[in-house]
Amino acid sequence: MEWHQSDVAQLRLIDQLLAGHNLSPAQYDITRRVIYATGDLEYLNLIVYSEQALQSGVAALAAHTPIVVDVTMVQVGVLSYTQNTFGNPIYCGAETFTRPQQEKSRIAFGIETLARRHPTAIFVLSSDHSALEPLLTLVEAQEIRPALIIDAAPNFLPPMLDRLQKSCVPHISIKGCKGGVSVATAIMNGLLKLAWTAYGDPLP
């Protein structure tokens, strides 16, 4: 759960480069993880935290809320952290058996299927931005009430992001068209670390 000694010099340099930021300590911890994972300092100004996003996500993790991810790579990337903390079950949209759909991608339909099964889950999107649409439709119909939506999928559809930002759902999103698996995984693991620090056993 802790940084290795080999990471310290690079993290210290990142801290120097990001001096003067306006993020809260919790927001900065997650943002720094994303920058370290991607090597991209622009994420300092690209990650958007809605009000209560971190509080809601941390509380949900501590309550063993399920995590729904879009692709297997994110599932694998956060598995070690979940196993060593609260043991939250992780479900993957890409691996969910669904009937063929013409109007939705396999991942989008898988996410929709899992959302109906786990309406208060934490949802993590990293690859297929179209999966956000069925989530928001279910939210607007008051069929689901996610604890948190992490939208880190590369995004070329600003109107969809606008819908997320106008919703009442706690969310963490990426401005512009950047994002991906490494970003989503870093955000999720950062949240798990924050939750474990707040509610779990003391870190070794």
Side-chain angles (χ1 to χ4, degrees):
M1 294 293 294
E2 291 294 276
W3 295 110
H4 295 293
Q5 187 173 359
S6 60
D7 300 317
V8 171
Q10 295 186 69
L11 292 171
R12 186 178 297 119
L13 178 58
I14 291 174
D15 289 338
Q16 292 172 0
L17 294 171
L18 301 184
H21 66 81
N22 295 316
L23 300 175
S24 71
Q27 291 172 343
Y28 179 69
D29 185 72
I30 290 177
T31 300
R32 185 173 68 160
R33 283 177 176 269
V34 172
I35 290 172
Y36 183 68
T38 62
D40 191 342
L41 293 169
E42 289 188 10
Y43 279 104
L44 176 65
N45 299 311
L46 295 180
I47 303 178
V48 177
Y49 300 90
S50 74
E51 187 176 357
Q52 302 299 316
L54 297 186
Q55 294 91 325
S56 180
V58 163
L61 289 170
H64 306 282
T65 298
I67 301 168
V68 175
V69 304
D70 58 350
V71 295
T72 308
M73 288 184 288
V74 177
Q75 185 176 27
V76 171
V78 303
L79 183 60
S80 176
Y81 266 52
T82 56
Q83 289 177 335
N84 288 304
T85 54
F86 302 102
N88 305 74
I90 308 173
Y91 304 100
C92 180
E95 300 299 323
T96 300
F97 180 78
T98 58
R99 66 181 184 273
Q101 293 283 309
Q102 291 185 345
E103 68 275 15
K104 296 187 183 78
S105 69
R106 176 182 175 181
I107 290 176
F109 193 68
I111 290 289
E112 180 180 16
T113 300
L114 289 170
R116 294 181 186 277
R117 296 175 187 171
H118 309 285
T120 61
I122 294 172
F123 294 90
V124 186
L125 307 181
S126 68
S127 299
D128 187 350
H129 191 71
S130 71
L132 181 59
E133 196 280 332
L135 275 182
L136 293 178
T137 298
L138 291 172
V139 167
E140 291 161 359
Q142 299 184 358
E143 294 185 40
I144 66 172
R145 194 173 181 181
L148 178 69
I149 293 177
I150 297 173
D151 179 26
N155 170 30
F156 292 90
L157 299 172
M160 192 62 64
L161 186 56
D162 291 343
R163 280 179 66 187
L164 175 61
Q165 293 174 342
K166 291 176 182 177
S167 74
C168 60
V169 177
H171 62 270
I172 302 172
S173 58
I174 310 297
K175 292 188 291 187
C177 58
K178 290 188 176 183
V181 168
S182 60
V183 175
T185 302
I187 292 172
M188 194 65 243
N189 284 339
L191 271 175
L192 281 161
K193 190 237 181 191
L194 289 173
W196 192 246
T197 300
Y199 294 102
D201 295 331
L203 293 172

